[in-house]
Each structure stands twice: as structure tokens, then as C-alpha cells.
Amino acid sequence: MKHKHIRQRVFFIISKAEEGDRASRAFDLTIMALIVLSVTAIVLQSFENLALRFANWFTAFECVTVAVFTLEYAARIWTADLLYPNAEHPRLKYILSPMALVDLCAILPFYLPFLGFDMRFLRLVRLFRLLRMFKLGRYSEALQTVVAVMKESASQLIISILMCLFIMLSSAIIMYTVENPVQPEQFPNVIASLWWAICTLTTVGYGDVYPVTAIGRLFASIISLVGIGIIAIPTGIIAAGFSKAIGQTTQTKQEPKSYCPYCGKKLE
Amino acid sequence: MKHKHIRQRVFFIISKAEEGDRASRAFDLTIMALIVLSVTAIVLQSFENLALRFANWFTAFECVTVAVFTLEYAARIWTADLLYPNAEHPRLKYILSPMALVDLCAILPFYLPFLGFDMRFLRLVRLFRLLRMFKLGRYSEALQTVVAVMKESASQLIISILMCLFIMLSSAIIMYTVENPVQPEQFPNVIASLWWAICTLTTVGYGDVYPVTAIGRLFASIISLVGIGIIAIPTGIIAAGFSKAIGQTTQTKQEPKSYCPYCGKKLE
Amino acid sequence: MKHKHIRQRVFFIISKAEEGDRASRAFDLTIMALIVLSVTAIVLQSFENLALRFANWFTAFECVTVAVFTLEYAARIWTADLLYPNAEHPRLKYILSPMALVDLCAILPFYLPFLGFDMRFLRLVRLFRLLRMFKLGRYSEALQTVVAVMKESASQLIISILMCLFIMLSSAIIMYTVENPVQPEQFPNVIASLWWAICTLTTVGYGDVYPVTAIGRLFASIISLVGIGIIAIPTGIIAAGFSKAIGQTTQTKQEPKSYCPYCGKKLE
Amino acid sequence: MKHKHIRQRVFFIISKAEEGDRASRAFDLTIMALIVLSVTAIVLQSFENLALRFANWFTAFECVTVAVFTLEYAARIWTADLLYPNAEHPRLKYILSPMALVDLCAILPFYLPFLGFDMRFLRLVRLFRLLRMFKLGRYSEALQTVVAVMKESASQLIISILMCLFIMLSSAIIMYTVENPVQPEQFPNVIASLWWAICTLTTVGYGDVYPVTAIGRLFASIISLVGIGIIAIPTGIIAAGFSKAIGQTTQTKQEPKSYCPYCGKKLE
């Protein structure tokens, strides 16, 4: 009886905080702070002198973080049957859920040092856990609108990405054919040429690779202009999506009219 | 009698697969796989070491591909009178259709090695054959919307491209006049200057050519700002087009109302 | 009497061609061809070897062009009273009209070689004369829409350009303060720093000047992100303008309804 | 009595000019001219030879400017109780208002030379004072629309900026992991990698830092394409906002109809 009670209490603490539940709120804030600090540690550790100087501190902090995250992970598995009361295998279901896999990726690298290569960057996935934070607070409605617009325009956006990939591959092959004999170092193969195509179509233009032949430049000019379209089409799609979403919001929010706006007649 | 029957069967196989027609479906998938593999081969062959090491494999695969494509091309000509039952010269009509010309370009380079220069990149046109794929499946409606919007905005987009070309040529001539005396290597003639103008107006900015004189930089600044407009106008046109297209779709999809939304009267 | 008749005929020829007037049409096409050839000559003359090899041809062609343009200019002044029948000083009015000033700029450099510096690039203004071409033909409606949208959004666009200039000047001064001590060659003064600011805000990014200090890069990052807004605002304004313009066109084009679209009642 | 009268007169002069009040108008113009000249002086002083040659003039002008601004600041504090007639501590309230803090920043650096480092660039804040100018004149309505649209879309824009920051940090950490072993000079730490991420996502692409490994380029390609979305989303939001704002303006401006546009019935 008592065991069950403790488990229920743990479940409420690690679940999303309800108003008034201080322990749950404190738990949420602790986890968030640990995530932010953990990512900050990744950034700081990339500075060689800091990494050497405070090596012990970083290791200690990493141990604490992983310990907390492991405990949390274990607690979530332990209380999985409260999260999925109707599932046949609630713990397996939880372990295979995307959120739990992210949580696992965030701690696994620590336990697998014998794999031999640096997997510490996997700690990055902890950032994804911050996404839950967006669900809370005042920006949740705006986030929903952004996501809804992206979803509604999804198939049109995918088509424009496919068109984009098609143009990229075509222009990479043409550019390779044209520029390879003159600049074998810059355009050694189609994959390298693809790098140029992407840099140009997205108008990033680092300037590490660019055509030098007349025909290559002519072709690059056409591709650059096409690049404007490549940017314009998804922008247009998204703009139209937002226009519609904002329009709908306005319409939904309008109070029901009590009279015809045109005839002035009363509506029953 | 039997000959005609075989021809009809071949026609159905090489036509777009109808539901349930397994032979036709298998044929479509084989052709698509060959196209994708063929383009992959072009990409891989551009790696010199791979091209040398697996030279025989590439040649063999190319022979197979061209053989299949040639057979398909022949079969399509053979069954042209079933595709165009009312045409006077169905075979000639098919040969001159854009799709058939693309098919021809995809195999011709193989048969014309005596032309002396590398036409292998023409195999690229095989990619265009993939476009048919878009016609199938769930994205066809989205593709139609994108194409419809581009078509409807066509004349406005052409005007903005003409304005763009006008600005490009003007700025290239001005920049040549200003920068040529100082940087004869970077701005040797108006065509080279045009390359700079396109790189700047499309905001790609490789950095291989840029003005160094004060007046050149002043002018380049103005052109860069104009470049924002150059991007903004087609984006605006396309966004407006999508707004309209999405609006219309919504309106069409609306269920018929059972009462006037304004007067509140019942509609019979 | 006869003199007046000739003048009237000349006026009709040099005016915009009406349908059926072959002489006027031929005149228009000749002038347009001369403009295009003249601009082509500017482009070709910029190639040093071509300029030297065909020097006589270029000079001869330039003489012919200027002769024709001068005759046209003279003819337009001569018939100015037919163009402005109610003006007090029709010839002066014509000479001071923007179109006539462009025409003058297109021929003047030829007559002023003693000025000592190369004014040949002023021949470029001949391109502006091509703008009249846009007035004709099928694209005139689209051009009108584009111009109308730009005009309607003008004050909002000007505000966003002013905001842009304000941000540019501010960031140039800050960047000069931050980067000058470290890179005196790249950021020698605020004007050079302004060049960097424009390249960054318009996202051109040549890469000839970029910050190297930590604070400079931090600031440049903020400016780059602001640059997205700088592009987004005019694009948004123009997109909204086109949305409205297209919506209005659709509404105007709708045939008058003979029944209420909602109630289904007949309208008298 | 007289003292109060003078103070009231001073207050009207330094307040926004009403029509017909010449002294107030003259005061406004003088301040604006001083601001513009003062910023011009900052620009000119950045040219070393000018700064040395006209050092005395610049110092003298700076003294005059600061004197006038200090007097204005003092006058505004002196008349603060007329600006906030109902406030308990009108002078303190004025001193802590954003506008007054800007005014203070604009003059303080002059009085604090003993701080030891160059704070002259703080004079830049004088530019902000020009913003008041926008409030006047014909562009005020357009500015209000721009500001209103930005405000209404604020929460969506903040979400897209947060998403952008999230993508930036993620890609910076990944890129550091991938590129640091190969290019330790270009990607020494995550902060330097963040500089690359911002340059790429905003499509500025200076070209001072770019990936060279295959996996780095693959990843940079994905990030570049995401960069298009990063630009597209705020552009779409702003475009939709302007669409709505312009639509509302049109609707508000519409004259009241005298008959129902649908039923054709007369409205009383």
C-alpha cells in the first residue's frame, strides 16, 4: 500500500507540474537548470584551456548530471504504468517512446566510454528536452500556430524541396562537366560540385568554390537567379499559410453577430 | 490478330500503371530504379579512383541501361498508334513529343561516341524522366497548386525578371566604367562585371569580385539594397498567389450553407 | 500648308505606333534595334581586343546611331507644339521633360569629347528608352500592377528603408569603435565600416571585410539576424500589397451576380 | 509669477512644436541639425587625417553641442512638473524615463573622460533622438502600421527566433565536433563554431570559416537549406501581418453601403 503511494507521489512529481504542486515545479526547474548548465558545460569544455584547467570540475559536474538524469530515467520507467494505465507492457512502451529515447541518448554516452570514439556531442540531445519548456507559458499558442502552418503547408513545402533537390543535382552534374577540366581541385567530383550548388542556391556563397570559365559563370548566373525562386516559393507558401491562420483566428474570435452586417436586419 | 494482341499488351505495360496491373507496375519500378541507378553512376563515375577501379562495371551497367532504355523507346514508337489513335502519323507525332525527345537525349550520347567530345552529361536528362513520378501519389495536388500559382503569376514574374535584367546590365556597365581602371583584372570587361552584378543582386556574394574604389562601393551598396527589392518582389508575387490559391481551395471545400450567414434566412 | 502637313506626318511617325500605321511601327522598331545594338556595342567595346580590332566599325556605328538619335531629338522638338497643343512654350516644355532629358544624355557625350574624361558610359541611359517598350504588348497590365503595388506601399517601404539606414549607420559606428584598433586596415574609418554593414545587412557577405574580435563577432551576429528582418519587412509589405491587388482584380472581374450568393434570391 | 511664466514658455518651446509656434519650431530644427551634425562629426573624426587636421574644430563643435544638449536636459528637468502635472516626483520620473536616459547617455561621455576608455561612440545614442522626428510628418501613419504589425506578430516572431537560436546552438556543437580535429584554427571552440552557424543560417556567408570535411559539408548543406526556412518563417509572419493590417485599413475606410451587396435590398 505504502509502496504504491510513494510511486504515485513520484509520478506526480516527475509529471508536468500542475498549479500549486511545489515539489513537481521544483523538480521541473532543477531538470531544466541541469540541462542548461550541461549544454553550457559542453560549450565551455570546447575551450581547450578551460577544459584542461577545470577538468575535475567538468568531470564532477558531468557525474552529477548523469546521476540525476539516470535517476529520473529510472523513476519514469518505474512509474510507466501510471502514465499508460491501459497499455499491456507500459514499461516497454515508455522505453520505446521518442521522449524516452532522447533521454537515453543523453545519458548513454557516459556509460559507454569503451566504444573508443568521442560520443560526448550526443549530450547535445539534452537540448531537445528543453523543447518541453516551450509547451509551457505564454508562447504556447504562437508555437502552435507556427507548427500548424508548417504542417498544413507540408506537402507544398516538400514538393518545393524536391524541386530544389532536383535543380541542385542537375546543376551539380552540369557544373562538374563544365568546370572540372579547368579547376580539378575545386570541382574534383559531383559531390564537391553539389556543395557549390547548395552554397549558391541558398545564396550563402562562402566563396571557397566558384566557377571561373565563361560557360560556368553563365550557368552559375542562371542558377543564382533560380535560387531567388527557391527562396521565394517556400516563403510564399509559408506567408500564405500564416495569412490564412491569422484570418481564421480573427474570424473565430469574432463575436456572433446579432444583425446582418449588410441589410441591418435582426438575426434571430 | 495475335500480333495486335501482343502490341496492345506491350502498350498497357509501358503506359502508366493502372491499379491491379502488376506487370505494368513492375515495369514502371524497373525503369525508375534504372534512372536512379544511372544518375548515381554518373555521380560515382566523377570520382576518378572509382571510375578507374570499376571501369568495367560502369561500362557494363551503362550498356544494360541503354539497352533497356532503347528497347523501351522502340516499344513506345511501335505502340504510338495506340497512344494517338486519331493522329495521321502517330509514330512521327510521338517521336517529336517532348517526352520522346528527352528519352532520345538520354540514350543518344551512347551511340555517338565518334562525335569526339564528352556528351555523357546528357545522360542527366534521364532525371527529367523522374518528373513523371511526381504525377503519381499523394503530392500531385500540391504540385498542381505550386505550378498553378507560378503560371497565374507568370506575367508579373516575367516583368520583375525583366526589371532585374535591366538593373543588372545597367549596374554592370556602370561598375565596369568605375572599377576597370583600378582593378583591370577583376573587371576586364562588361561581361565579367555582369558576373559581379548577378552575384550581388542575388545576394550570393562569393567574394571573388568586389569593388574597391569609394564610388564603386557606394554604387555597390545601392545595388545591394536594390537586391533586397529584387528578392522581395517575386517573393511577394508568389506569396500573394499562394494566398489566393489557398483561399480559393478553402472556399471550394466549404460545405454548402443551410442558412444565409448574413440575413439568417433559411436557404431551400 | 504643306509644311504643316509634313510636320503632322512626322509627328505621327515618331509618336507611339497606332495599329495599321506601318511607317510609325517601322520607326519604332528601328529606334529599338538601334538602342539594343548600341548597348551591345558598349558591352563589346569593353573587350579590349575587340575594341582595338574593330575600332573603326565601332566609331562608324556610333556616328550612325548618334546621327539617328539627334535627328529624332530634333524632330521631337520640331513637333513639340503638336504634343502639347495647349502649352505656352511647347518646345521648352518638351526639352525639360524627363524623357527628353534622357534622350539628350544619350547623345550629348558624343558632342562633348573635349570635356576630357570618359563619359561614354552615359550612353547607358539609352537603356531607359527601352522602358517605353514595356508600355506596349501583353505585359503592360502586369507592369501596371507591379508599379501600383510599389506606389501604394511606398510610404511603408520608405519607413523600412529609413529604419534600415538608421541600423546601418549605428552598426557601422559601433563596428568601427570595436574593430578599428585590431584591424585598422579593414576598418580604417566609419565609411569603410558602413561598407561592411551594408554587405552584412543585405546578406551579400563578400567576405572582404569581417570582424575578428569576439565582441565584433557577437555584434555582427546580432546585425546578421537583424538583416533577416530587414529583408522580411519590405518582402512582407510587398507581399501584402500584391495580395490586396490580386484580390481587388478578382473582385472587379467578377460578373455582376443576378442572385444573392447566400440567400439564392433573385436580385432585380 | 514671472518665474512661473518663463518656465511655462520654456516648456512650450522644448515641447513638440504646435502649428504657428515659431520659437518651438526653431528650437526643434536646431536640435535636429545639431544631432545630424554631431553624428556627421563622429563619421568624419574616424578619418585619421581629418581628425588630426581639424582637431580643434571638432573639439570646439563637441563643446558647443554638449553645452546645448546639457542646457536642453536641464531645461527639461526644470519643466518636468509641467510635463507630468499629476506625478508625485515629476523630476525623478522624467530623469528615469527612457527618453531622458538616452539624452543623458548622449552627453555623459563628455563629462567622464577620467574613466580611461573611449566612450565617444556613446554619442551614437544621439541618433535615437532622431526617432522623434519620425513621429512628425507624413510617414507617421506608415510607421505606426509597421510597428503595429511587428507588435501583433511579436510572440510568433519570438518563437521563430527561439527556434533559430536552438538550431544555431545545435549546429555549432555538431560542427565543432566534426570540424575541430581537421581545422583546429577555424573551429577552435563552440563559440567560434557559433559564428559559422550564424553566418550560414542568415545566408551571409563571409567565407572566413567553412567546413572542409565530407560530413561537415553534408551537415552545412542541411543547415543552409534550413536557413531558407529560417528566413521564410519570419517573412511569412510579417507578410501575413501586413496583409491583415492593410485589409483592416481598407475595410475601415469603406464608405457605409446604402444597399446590401448581396440581396440588393435598400438599407435604411
Side-chain angles (χ1 to χ4, degrees), chain C residues 170 173-174 176-178 180-181 188 190, chain D residues 38-48 50-52 54-55 58-59 62-63 66 69 104-127:
Chain C
S170 308
I173 292 175
I174 293 172
Y176 165 75
T177 314
V178 172
N180 175 266
V190 171
Chain D
S38 168
V39 173
T40 311
I42 300 174
V43 173
L44 290 177
Q45 256 183 306
S46 76
F47 289 84
E48 215 169 331
L50 285 178
L52 290 173
F54 301 103
F58 281 121
T59 313
E62 182 62 15
C63 291
V66 171
F69 288 168
L104 189 63
C105 282
I107 52 173
L108 212 61
F110 184 81
Y111 297 113
L112 298 170
F114 55 85
L115 280 178
F117 56 93
D118 191 353
M119 280 173 65
R120 279 181 310 168
F121 79 96
L122 261 181
R123 288 179 295 168
L124 172 70
V125 298
R126 290 171 193 171
L127 267 176

Side-chain angles (χ1 to χ4, degrees), chain B residues 51-175:
Chain B
L52 291 173
R53 209 160 157 200
F54 301 104
N56 293 336
W57 288 95
F58 280 123
T59 313
F61 174 71
E62 181 62 15
C63 289
V64 171
T65 318
V66 170
V68 173
F69 286 169
T70 309
L71 276 174
E72 188 208 353
Y73 186 64
R76 281 189 198 276
I77 291 179
W78 187 42
T79 61
D81 51 350
L82 296 168
L83 187 67
Y84 304 115
N86 301 320
E88 212 172 335
H89 302 290
R91 287 181 189 175
L92 195 71
K93 192 175 173 188
Y94 175 72
I95 289 170
L96 295 175
S97 71
M99 242 195 284
L101 289 173
V102 164
D103 287 8
L104 190 63
C105 283
I107 51 173
L108 211 61
F110 185 80
Y111 297 113
L112 298 170
F114 54 85
L115 280 178
F117 57 92
D118 192 354
M119 280 172 65
R120 279 179 312 168
F121 79 95
L122 261 181
R123 287 179 296 167
L124 171 70
V125 298
R126 289 171 193 170
L127 269 176
F128 285 104
R129 303 192 56 187
L130 280 181
L131 289 177
R132 292 185 205 166
M133 207 162 54
F134 287 132
K135 289 188 188 161
L136 314 164
R138 50 193 290 222
Y139 294 119
S140 68
E141 202 186 330
L143 181 66
Q144 275 168 31
T145 308
V146 172
V147 171
V149 166
M150 302 304 278
K151 255 189 198 161
E152 195 145 318
S153 323
S155 59
Q156 284 170 11
L157 287 174
I158 286 168
I159 281 290
S160 62
I161 288 168
L162 285 178
M163 282 163 66
C164 182
L165 291 177
F166 178 76
I167 292 166
M168 273 174 188
L169 189 53
S170 308
S171 54
I173 293 176
I174 294 172
M175 215 59 177

Side-chain angles (χ1 to χ4, degrees), chain D residues 4-224:
Chain D
K4 201 189 162 190
H5 183 255
I6 290 174
R7 211 169 60 173
Q8 201 138 24
R9 184 75 198 117
V10 166
F11 176 67
F12 280 122
I13 288 174
I14 63 179
S15 298
K16 199 181 139 187
E18 273 170 53
E19 222 149 301
D21 190 344
R22 286 202 183 167
S24 182
R25 187 111 199 112
F27 176 81
D28 278 12
L29 290 176
T30 310
I31 293 289
M32 273 177 199
L34 270 181
I35 292 168
V36 170
L37 284 172
S38 168
V39 173
T40 311
I42 300 174
V43 173
L44 290 177
Q45 256 183 306
S46 76
F47 289 84
E48 215 169 331
N49 52 344
L50 285 178
L52 290 173
R53 208 159 156 202
F54 301 103
N56 293 336
W57 288 95
F58 281 121
T59 313
F61 174 72
E62 182 62 15
C63 291
V64 172
T65 317
V66 171
V68 173
F69 288 168
T70 309
L71 277 175
E72 188 208 353
Y73 186 65
R76 281 187 196 277
I77 292 178
W78 187 43
T79 62
D81 51 348
L82 295 169
L83 186 65
Y84 305 114
N86 301 319
E88 211 171 336
H89 303 290
R91 285 180 192 176
L92 195 70
K93 191 175 173 189
Y94 175 72
I95 287 170
L96 295 174
S97 71
M99 240 196 288
L101 289 172
V102 164
D103 287 8
L104 189 63
C105 282
I107 52 173
L108 212 61
F110 184 81
Y111 297 113
L112 298 170
F114 55 85
L115 280 178
F117 56 93
D118 191 353
M119 280 173 65
R120 279 181 310 168
F121 79 96
L122 261 181
R123 288 179 295 168
L124 172 70
V125 298
R126 290 171 193 171
L127 267 176
F128 285 103
R129 305 191 54 188
L130 279 181
L131 289 176
R132 291 185 204 165
M133 203 161 58
F134 287 132
K135 288 189 189 161
L136 314 164
R138 51 192 288 222
Y139 295 120
S140 69
E141 201 187 331
L143 181 65
Q144 275 169 29
T145 308
V146 172
V147 171
V149 167
M150 302 305 277
K151 255 188 198 162
E152 193 144 320
S153 323
S155 59
Q156 286 170 10
L157 287 174
I158 285 167
I159 281 288
S160 61
I161 287 167
L162 285 178
M163 282 164 66
C164 182
L165 291 177
F166 178 77
I167 292 167
M168 272 173 189
L169 190 53
S170 308
S171 53
I173 292 175
I174 294 173
M175 213 60 176
Y176 165 74
T177 314
V178 172
E179 291 285 326
N180 174 266
V182 184
Q183 309 190 82
E185 311 244 317
Q186 305 291 339
F187 292 90
N189 51 58
V190 171
I191 297 296
S193 185
L194 201 59
W195 169 244
W196 165 83
I198 292 167
C199 280
T200 302
L201 275 169
T202 58
T203 77
V204 168
Y206 288 125
D208 54 339
V209 192
Y210 50 83
V212 294
T213 63
I215 196 150
R217 286 185 168 194
L218 172 69
F219 189 72
S221 303
I222 296 165
I223 289 296
S224 301

Side-chain angles (χ1 to χ4, degrees), chain B residues 156 158-159 162 166 173-174 176-177 188-191 196 200 203-207 210-211 217 220-221 225 232 235-237 240 244 260-262 265 267, chain C residues 39 42-43 46-47 121 124 127-128 134 139 142-143 145 150 164 168 195 198 202-206 208 230 234-235 238-239 242-243 246 250 262-263 265:
Chain B
Q156 284 170 11
I158 286 168
I159 281 290
L162 285 178
F166 178 76
I173 293 176
I174 294 172
Y176 164 76
T177 313
N189 51 58
V190 171
I191 297 297
W196 165 84
T200 302
T203 76
V204 169
Y206 287 124
Y210 50 83
R217 286 185 166 192
S221 303
L225 289 169
T235 307
I237 292 169
K244 202 189 149 193
C260 174
Y262 291 113
K265 280 191 185 163
L267 298 177
Chain C
V39 173
I42 300 174
V43 173
S46 76
F47 289 85
F121 80 95
L124 172 69
L127 269 177
F128 286 104
F134 287 131
Y139 295 119
L143 181 65
T145 308
M150 303 303 279
C164 182
M168 272 174 189
W195 168 245
I198 291 167
T202 59
T203 77
V204 169
Y206 287 123
D208 53 339
I230 293 294
T235 307
I238 291 174
F242 276 107
S243 265
I246 289 176
T250 320
Y262 290 112
C263 311
K265 278 192 188 164

Side-chain angles (χ1 to χ4, degrees), chain A residues 1-10:
Chain A
M1 190 70 184
K2 200 186 167 190
H3 173 258
K4 201 187 161 190
H5 183 256
I6 291 174
R7 210 168 61 172
Q8 202 139 23
R9 184 76 196 116
V10 166

Side-chain angles (χ1 to χ4, degrees), chain C:
Chain C
M1 191 68 185
K2 200 187 166 189
H3 173 258
K4 201 189 164 190
H5 183 254
I6 290 175
R7 210 167 64 171
Q8 202 138 22
R9 184 76 197 116
V10 166
F11 176 67
F12 280 122
I13 289 174
I14 62 179
S15 296
K16 199 182 140 186
E18 274 170 51
E19 222 151 301
D21 190 345
R22 287 200 181 166
S24 182
R25 188 110 198 112
F27 176 81
D28 278 13
L29 289 176
T30 310
I31 292 290
M32 274 176 196
L34 271 180
I35 292 168
V36 170
L37 284 172
S38 168
V39 173
T40 312
I42 300 174
V43 173
L44 291 177
Q45 258 182 303
S46 76
F47 289 85
E48 216 170 329
N49 51 345
L50 285 178
L52 290 173
R53 208 160 156 200
F54 301 104
N56 294 335
W57 288 95
F58 281 121
T59 312
F61 174 71
E62 181 63 15
C63 290
V64 171
T65 318
V66 171
V68 173
F69 288 168
T70 309
L71 276 175
E72 189 209 351
Y73 185 65
R76 282 187 197 278
I77 292 179
W78 187 40
T79 61
D81 50 350
L82 295 169
L83 186 67
Y84 304 114
N86 302 319
E88 210 171 336
H89 302 291
R91 286 182 189 173
L92 196 71
K93 191 177 173 187
Y94 176 72
I95 288 170
L96 295 175
S97 72
M99 240 196 285
L101 290 173
V102 165
D103 287 7
L104 189 63
C105 283
I107 51 174
L108 211 61
F110 184 82
Y111 298 113
L112 298 171
F114 54 85
L115 281 179
F117 56 93
D118 193 354
M119 280 173 64
R120 280 181 309 169
F121 80 95
L122 260 181
R123 288 179 296 169
L124 172 69
V125 297
R126 290 172 192 170
L127 269 177
F128 286 104
R129 304 193 54 188
L130 280 181
L131 288 177
R132 290 185 206 167
M133 203 161 58
F134 287 131
K135 289 189 189 162
L136 314 164
R138 51 193 288 222
Y139 295 119
S140 67
E141 202 186 330
L143 181 65
Q144 275 169 30
T145 308
V146 171
V147 171
V149 166
M150 303 303 279
K151 256 189 199 161
E152 195 145 315
S153 323
S155 59
Q156 285 170 10
L157 287 173
I158 287 167
I159 280 290
S160 61
I161 289 168
L162 285 178
M163 282 164 65
C164 182
L165 291 177
F166 178 76
I167 293 167
M168 272 174 189
L169 190 53
S170 308
S171 53
I173 292 175
I174 293 172
M175 213 60 177
Y176 165 75
T177 314
V178 172
E179 290 285 325
N180 175 266
V182 185
Q183 310 189 81
E185 309 244 317
Q186 304 290 338
F187 292 89
N189 51 58
V190 171
I191 297 297
S193 185
L194 201 59
W195 168 245
W196 165 83
I198 291 167
C199 280
T200 302
L201 275 169
T202 59
T203 77
V204 169
Y206 287 123
D208 53 339
V209 192
Y210 50 82
V212 293
T213 63
I215 195 152
R217 286 186 166 192
L218 173 69
F219 189 72
S221 303
I222 296 165
I223 289 295
S224 301
L225 289 170
V226 168
I228 292 179
I230 293 294
I231 294 174
I233 292 175
T235 307
I237 292 169
I238 291 174
F242 276 107
S243 265
K244 203 188 149 195
I246 289 176
Q248 281 176 338
T249 317
T250 320
Q251 221 166 21
T252 315
K253 276 185 183 167
Q254 278 175 352
E255 294 170 45
K257 299 217 161 92
S258 58
Y259 58 92
C260 174
Y262 290 112
C263 311
K265 278 192 188 164
K266 269 206 175 162
L267 301 175
E268 296 121 45

